[in-house]
Amino acid sequence: MPCLLKVALNKEESDEVQKEVEIALQALRCISRDYSVKKELYLNEIKEIIEYHQEHHNLTRLAYQSAWGFLINRFDKDKSLEEVIINELHFGREATRELEELSRNVNWKKKEEKIVGKEKEEILLAGCLNVIHDFFEYCRLWNEEYVGLINSLVQLFRAAKDNHRGISNWCIYSLRKAAENRFVKVEDLLKGGAVEAVLEEMQGRTVDDGMLFNCLQFFKNVSNRLEEEEKDEKEEEERKATKRKVFEKMEEEGCEDIITSFYEKFVFLNRRYYHELSLKISD
């Protein structure tokens, strides 16, 4: 790890050095989250790499993604990294910017091709979404930047849903992960447009069983969160207000009709995902 970080810290501006930096950061990203690594071995160096890029834009997109991927892989074993990732390095702001910039470079009207024919931007988008998914899975700290990130996922979903189902599916999966995270406020999911996006996916003609499961799991998680006990009367009032907003949005979008139309699929989904999904059909 120290050798790879030393290579990745090289700031010379040449194609050869840039390629070495990229390879070193990709290798670091491949270190499994199952391994516990003392942050003294990497934190100052990886912070310097990310902060220098934020100021000078010296890394390739793949290298920058890999730096974040490496750091977020360490999340699971060391929760003290959250303050650094969220409030010092501003992951939410950076991930939002990356999604928006990459999205502008994809031809959304062109049909998605097999992996060998994918454009570079599509592959980078998939990598970015993978990092965001991992972040939502392990994040236990939240700030206002993530409303923008949720909204970027929603906009990307809408751009991709007709011709790039792989990317749009990743967006819905990431939103489901956000809804699973009890530290993500339901109000922020509403503000970011996540509820509308998931309802849109459920109404789509091409929704498959796996994606339907993710959509139902999203609403199951939202429902569970809205039923959580609150600490005081003010929070209870806020929860009730948020619950009304969610129900109104679902009613606007015809969610009752959507769920009724999928009635017979519930049994199949419950059988296929029995270890993950517990649904009472009558509810």
Side-chain angles (χ1 to χ4, degrees):
M1 187 180 288
C3 294
L4 290 169
L5 286 167
K6 185 177 179 180
V7 174
L9 279 163
N10 194 336
K11 299 177 178 66
E12 288 182 34
E13 295 182 4
S14 70
D15 291 342
E16 184 179 351
V17 167
Q18 192 177 56
K19 180 59 67 177
E20 289 176 352
V21 168
E22 188 177 86
I23 291 171
L25 286 169
Q26 285 187 69
L28 284 165
R29 184 178 182 175
C30 289
I31 298 173
S32 171
R33 64 171 52 94
D34 295 331
Y35 293 109
S36 182
V37 183
K38 292 181 179 180
K39 63 184 176 185
E40 291 80 8
L41 292 175
Y42 64 83
L43 186 55
N44 289 337
E45 290 83 354
I46 206 72
K47 274 184 66 180
E48 181 181 340
I49 290 166
I50 290 173
E51 289 173 336
Y52 189 85
H53 173 77
Q54 289 174 350
E55 185 176 353
H56 301 280
H57 305 287
N58 64 310
L59 298 176
T60 64
R61 289 193 185 280
L62 181 57
Y64 191 45
Q65 265 181 30
S66 298
W68 276 115
F70 164 75
L71 191 54
I72 288 174
N73 271 347
R74 314 274 71 76
F75 229 2
D76 191 30
K77 299 291 184 182
D78 190 347
K79 294 298 187 285
S80 68
L81 294 173
E82 289 187 321
E83 181 68 32
V84 175
I85 291 172
I86 293 169
N87 293 328
E88 292 185 42
L89 298 177
H90 299 282
F91 175 78
R93 180 194 67 197
E94 291 295 298
T96 299
R97 182 182 56 76
E98 286 288 301
L99 279 183
E100 290 174 352
E101 290 182 4
L102 284 166
S103 181
R104 284 196 292 268
N105 294 322
V106 174
N107 180 3
W108 297 115
K109 293 182 180 180
K110 180 182 177 184
K111 288 284 186 181
E112 185 176 34
E113 299 176 9
K114 292 182 179 179
I115 188 67
V116 292
K118 283 186 182 292
E119 299 291 332
K120 179 182 177 182
E121 287 77 11
E122 294 175 57
I123 295 170
L124 289 170
L125 257 176
C128 189
L129 289 168
N130 191 34
V131 174
I132 291 168
H133 159 269
D134 287 346
F135 172 79
F136 282 140
E137 178 124 19
Y138 297 105
C139 167
R140 296 296 178 269
L141 192 63
W142 192 253
N143 69 17
E144 64 280 358
E145 292 179 358
Y146 297 103
V147 177
L149 179 54
I150 288 169
N151 186 252
S152 289
L153 285 169
V154 169
Q155 298 308 316
L156 180 58
F157 158 75
R158 288 180 174 144
K161 67 177 181 177
D162 290 333
N163 296 322
H164 294 72
R165 292 297 296 171
I167 290 174
S168 65
N169 288 355
W170 258 110
C171 292
I172 294 295
Y173 187 51
S174 296
L175 292 174
R176 171 199 151 189
K177 283 297 176 183
E180 283 180 9
N181 189 330
R182 60 183 295 270
F183 294 89
V184 179
K185 296 179 180 178
V186 175
E187 182 70 27
D188 290 341
L189 293 172
L190 276 168
K191 287 178 183 176
V195 173
E196 292 98 320
V198 176
L199 286 169
E200 286 175 28
E201 176 64 18
M202 290 179 75
Q203 293 181 78
R205 296 179 180 179
T206 58
V207 62
D208 60 28
D209 294 324
M211 281 310 299
L212 177 57
F213 164 66
N214 286 326
C215 293
L216 295 172
Q217 190 71 44
F218 173 90
F219 282 111
K220 177 174 177 285
N221 291 325
V222 168
S223 177
N224 290 342
R225 301 278 306 289
L226 291 172
E227 291 175 2
E228 290 175 356
E229 291 185 6
E230 302 298 332
K231 296 177 182 178
D232 54 44
E233 290 183 11
K234 183 180 178 182
E235 289 189 6
E236 175 67 13
E237 285 303 311
E238 289 176 355
R239 181 186 67 81
K240 287 181 178 178
T242 300
K243 192 171 184 177
R244 281 194 296 272
K245 289 178 187 176
V246 172
F247 287 168
E248 286 169 5
K249 184 61 63 178
M250 294 171 79
E251 190 174 25
E252 285 173 20
E253 300 293 334
C255 193
E256 273 192 45
D257 294 336
I258 297 167
I259 291 174
T260 301
S261 71
F262 284 125
Y263 188 86
E264 292 183 6
K265 278 199 173 187
F266 278 100
V267 177
F268 168 73
L269 285 168
N270 217 24
R271 186 167 63 245
R272 179 174 175 181
Y273 299 105
Y274 68 93
H275 59 295
E276 298 182 54
L277 183 63
S278 176
L279 276 174
K280 295 179 180 177
I281 302 301
S282 59
D283 291 345

